[in-house]
Amino acid sequence: MHPTTLMYTSSLLLMFAVLLYPLLVTFTSLPLNNDWASSHAKTAVKSAFLISLAPLSLFLSTGMEAVTSSWTWMVTTTLDITLSFKFDHYSIIFIPIALYVTWSILEFATWYMHSDPLMNRFFKYLLTFLVAMLILVSANNLFQLFIGWEGVGIMSFLLIGWWHGRADANTAALQAVLYNRVGDIGLILGMAWLATNVNSWDIQQMFILSKNLDMTLPLLGLILAATGKSAQFGLHPWLPAAMEGPTPVSALLHSSTMVVAGIFLLIRMSPLMENNQTALTLCLCLGALTTMFTATCALTQNDIKKIVAFSTSSQLGLMMVTIGLNQPQLAFLHICTHAFFKAMLFLCSGSVIHSLNDEQDIRKMGGLHHLAPFTSSCLTVGSLALTGTPFLAGFFSKDAIIEALNTSHVNAWALTLTLIATSFTAIYSLRVIFFVTMGTPRFLPLSPINENNPAVINPLKRLAWGSIFGGLLVMLNINLFKTPVLTMPAELKLAALAVSILGLLTALELATLTSKQFKVTPLRTPHHFSTSLGFIPAIIHRQIPQLTLLLGQKIASQMVDQTWLEKTGPKAIANATTPLASATSNMQQGLIKTYLTLFLMTLVLVTLISAT
Amino acid sequence: MNPFILSILLLSLGLGTTLTFASSHWLLAWMGLEISTLAIIPLMSQHHHPRAVEATTKYFITQAAAAALILFASTTNAWITGQWDINFDLHFFPASMLTMALALKMGLAPVHFWLPEVLQGLDLTTGLILSTWQKLAPFILMCQIMPVNSSLITFLGVTSTLVGGWGGLNQTQLRKILAYSSIAHLGWMILVMQFNQQLALLALIIYIPMTFSTFMIFKTNSSTTVNTLAASWAKTPALTAITPMILLSLGGLPPLSGFMPKWMILQELTKQDIPLTASIAALSALLSLYFYLRVSYAMTLTISPNNLNATTPWRLQTTASTLPLAISATISAMLLPLAPATLALLSL
């Protein structure tokens, strides 16, 4: 084996071993020591991160990609499934980033979940999730990807419902599972189509063999899968609901890693999509709608985690738009940079929440700039990175995307929506900063504000470095596959920035209105639309189960039981026979003349008929 | 009744039927029918109460009308074909008249209306004679004029089975139930008569012990309604246990002997390629089965409430002869395993 490939494979194997070891330890019946979470789990992830830097540096210097196939799992006549890993540009760059972010989150979680009696189990779940995510990212065939896909889905369910005594948490976990399941239908559809038409689940084989086929159907399936997993419009309500889980869960799953799995799938399958205009247009419009809608919803939310969740959803929509522009690598770049600042935003929220004794409503925060300076600085840095402030992490990916959007021949509507959503990003980011860090405190005096724990500071510091330099580092070291358009009119070049500044100024203006009554009777309809999330959860979560249950009742009770088994069966016979029986016996009136007349008539009739 | 008169009447009854059996001349056949009609009239009205007299009158009028039509038909046939022999095929015109006349004599639908009322007015013994013996002569004549006007025969048969089924559903009087049962059974016999007279004869031969048994059972319990039959558990417990077998045999349920004719008839009808008729006949047998089941339910499957004194009769020995009932009950319940022998006896 080539030394590079050997290096890649052995480091991945080592990473898996390092990550799985703490999990396997928990299967023995020995009780875990108190800081197992800190000493075993977090250290494992840290070591895995350091190990993953080796293939990263090798890739950056040589640019070599590899595919490793080992053990054959199943052999059927037509389809082989093997254990195979792909070390390409996407997985080699994403794995260290994911591990870096996870390491920071785990360290934060040792502080956040400190008072939880089942903290070790929590870390076990997070580790299992991480392993599943790595399987998904490094998979070279769809079967292995599906294993990772389902794994992250299940762990998401378990982690969202962590505080399972709370009914809202359980319903949120169920929502996550159900919406993901709908997306899984699409993935299975795609897999089945590919298995039957292209006869392989291997990525390389699929690309070659599907050159001349019409790929619309499997691509629609894959887009449905991405819609479910990455919370695009239509299957999006689970993501804000998933904020019922603890903040480390939100930081890891629902900002950096799990929700990008859908986008990652589309990125992997992008060679299949590049020639299919239907799929590309669908991605573009779906993404644009998602980003706009969720940004609108984020404008009026009052829960800090929900605002960040909608922000995640909006950025996922942006990634979908990028895929629709046929720029998968830019989407991938955005995944990487987004992981840093979004995880940091969540960790800052977690720090703020714990500091204010589990207060999540931003209307009851304020003035934290003086009381928790590090956290609020990180919050500001993260928000600036999110809005695409020049030369922070988010700028490199976001600006590249918007430039590509502006210079391509696409749907003007998608373009407009995306730009409006970008300005909304600035608005709600400023709203968060204004309400949380600025102004006077609106919380109770005896709040345990303390951010001086290294378990809080170090993760935030690391992620802050990542949010500031991450974009630059990644951009400097990779080769872009598609040549970006570098010349454009100045207005287009500055569009993203202008729109964000416009949003910022608007938000500042709106922020000063909080202490004045601008309008006596304000227009409440847009506000209600935004706060109720477009009324979508309220309508759909009742309607669809109601219709299904009604249909079930109609079929089972009315159609089968009442109709077929009663009215058309036994009762019909009784209802038909009773009048006949009474008619036959009531005909006997006792009049012999009548009887004889009947006889005569029958005789005449018979004789006439037989004569003919 | 005076034993001499009784014996004359009974012997005349026998003479009439035998005469019809033995004759090959239409006039003699008619004469036999008339003798049996005249002989049974005094038997019917022996109790002289109005209901019996009404039944007698109705019976006489219908039977006389039928006999007159038989005479007219056979005379017309002699006029057209020039001979009186029963064995020669009839001309179609007198054939249909003769069929209708014999249908009226036997009590086939749609000319069955006299049978329930007449049977209701008679006591059980005379009713028994009417249901069994009086069916023999017209039946034989019917057999001998086959095959004639297939659609008419099928119509008579199917209508009889249906009317027998539906009519009996609304009855509580046992004699009327048996009247409709007789109509239904005769319908079955008529259906197959056009194809295989031996099967029709088999049906009749199985039907007669079954009806005999039922009439005897009702006579033993001296009950004429379903409600009074419900008290039989205290009078004759053994008979109460056997009666469902007889009744269900009437209904044609395997493994009782009543199943034998129905099975054979359905097989014959299927072989003759009229499965629709066979299906309708089979379904109408379900209707009859329902009211037989109802009677057996009221009698056997429930213990009706009664006062204390009424629960004692079974302890006393009866002086009535139980041998005929024993024999006919055995025949009507247990004959199915002997089906091959029975069919062979009838030279099938």
Side-chain angles (χ1 to χ4, degrees), chain A residues 22 55 60 68 102 145-146 149 174 182 214 224 230 254-256 263 269 280 292 312 366 437 444 517 532 537 581 590:
Chain A
L60 291 178
T68 308
T102 311
L145 189 135
F146 189 65
W149 185 276
L174 265 179
V182 176
D214 177 21
L224 179 63
S230 299
H254 305 120
S255 60
S256 328
I263 306 288
M269 299 288 144
L280 289 175
M292 175 65 194
T312 310
T437 62
L444 299 169
Q517 193 184 32
S532 314

Side-chain angles (χ1 to χ4, degrees), chain A residues 47-375:
Chain A
S47 337
F49 165 66
L50 293 170
I51 296 169
S52 73
L53 288 177
L56 177 67
S57 46
L58 202 51
F59 173 74
L60 291 178
S61 76
T62 64
M64 174 161 166
E65 303 181 353
V67 170
T68 308
S69 291
S70 57
W71 186 51
T72 307
W73 214 316
M74 273 180 251
V75 176
T76 60
T77 332
T78 48
L79 195 66
D80 284 358
I81 301 176
T82 57
L83 202 63
S84 91
F85 300 98
K86 187 168 167 72
F87 302 97
D88 69 338
H89 162 253
Y90 297 129
S91 61
I92 293 185
I93 294 184
F94 184 75
I95 290 180
I97 293 177
L99 286 169
Y100 183 75
V101 168
T102 311
W103 168 29
S104 309
I105 292 173
L106 285 186
E107 193 174 342
F108 178 81
T110 55
W111 172 78
Y112 193 82
M113 304 297 288
H114 186 75
S115 57
D116 196 318
L118 297 172
M119 189 168 98
N120 291 333
R121 183 187 293 180
F122 185 75
F123 273 75
K124 197 160 84 168
Y125 285 177
L126 285 178
L127 270 182
T128 317
F129 166 80
L130 184 63
V131 170
M133 190 70 204
L134 291 181
I135 293 175
L136 193 157
V137 163
S138 62
N140 192 35
N141 58 12
L142 279 180
F143 188 75
Q144 208 169 317
L145 189 135
F146 189 65
I147 293 176
W149 185 276
E150 291 293 299
V152 299
I154 291 179
M155 296 324 294
S156 164
F157 168 76
L158 290 172
L159 284 166
I160 295 174
W162 177 255
W163 289 312
H164 54 79
R166 189 177 147 84
D168 283 343
N170 289 331
T171 47
L174 265 179
Q175 261 184 295
V177 165
L178 289 173
Y179 279 112
N180 271 331
R181 223 36 188 155
V182 176
D184 288 351
I185 296 172
L187 183 58
I188 295 177
L189 171 70
M191 283 170 72
W193 191 97
L194 288 165
T196 50
N197 288 344
V198 166
N199 200 22
S200 169
W201 276 337
D202 243 31
I203 291 187
Q204 288 78 22
Q205 293 184 23
M206 282 194 295
F207 291 169
I208 296 173
L209 293 169
S210 62
K211 278 276 179 277
N212 297 322
L213 296 174
D214 177 21
M215 298 290 288
T216 315
L217 187 61
L219 287 173
L220 288 178
L222 292 176
I223 293 172
L224 179 63
T227 312
K229 192 65 101 182
S230 299
Q232 300 299 306
F233 185 78
L235 298 176
H236 65 280
W238 70 271
L239 190 51
M243 297 299 117
E244 292 286 336
T247 310
V249 170
S250 310
L252 184 56
L253 275 72
H254 305 120
S255 60
S256 328
T257 34
M258 189 191 107
V259 290
V260 299
I263 306 288
F264 195 84
L265 174 70
L266 288 180
I267 292 173
R268 271 269 195 261
M269 299 288 144
S270 50
L272 295 176
M273 273 208 317
E274 36 186 31
N275 294 323
N276 194 320
Q277 266 319 111
T278 317
L280 289 175
T281 317
L282 183 63
C283 282
L284 185 70
C285 296
L286 185 63
L289 183 60
T290 307
T291 179
M292 175 65 194
F293 179 75
T294 49
T296 314
C297 291
L299 292 177
T300 55
Q301 295 299 314
N302 292 318
D303 183 351
I304 189 173
K305 282 178 72 177
K306 283 235 173 16
I307 300 179
V308 186
F310 277 113
S311 156
T312 310
S313 207
S314 187
Q315 297 303 305
L316 289 169
L318 187 66
M319 294 174 207
M320 191 62 123
V321 164
T322 324
I323 292 180
L325 290 174
N326 208 1
Q327 298 275 8
Q329 200 185 20
L330 290 183
F332 176 72
L333 284 177
H334 197 57
I335 288 178
C336 296
T337 53
H338 174 262
F340 287 120
F341 53 76
K342 197 45 68 70
M344 186 166 74
L345 281 174
F346 267 113
L347 294 193
C348 293
S349 323
S351 165
V352 161
I353 289 169
H354 252 28
S355 292
L356 298 180
N357 200 19
D358 296 331
E359 181 55 63
Q360 294 187 264
D361 197 329
I362 58 174
R363 297 172 292 190
K364 293 166 105 177
M365 301 174 186
L368 282 179
H369 184 64
H370 304 285
L371 301 163
F374 189 75
T375 308

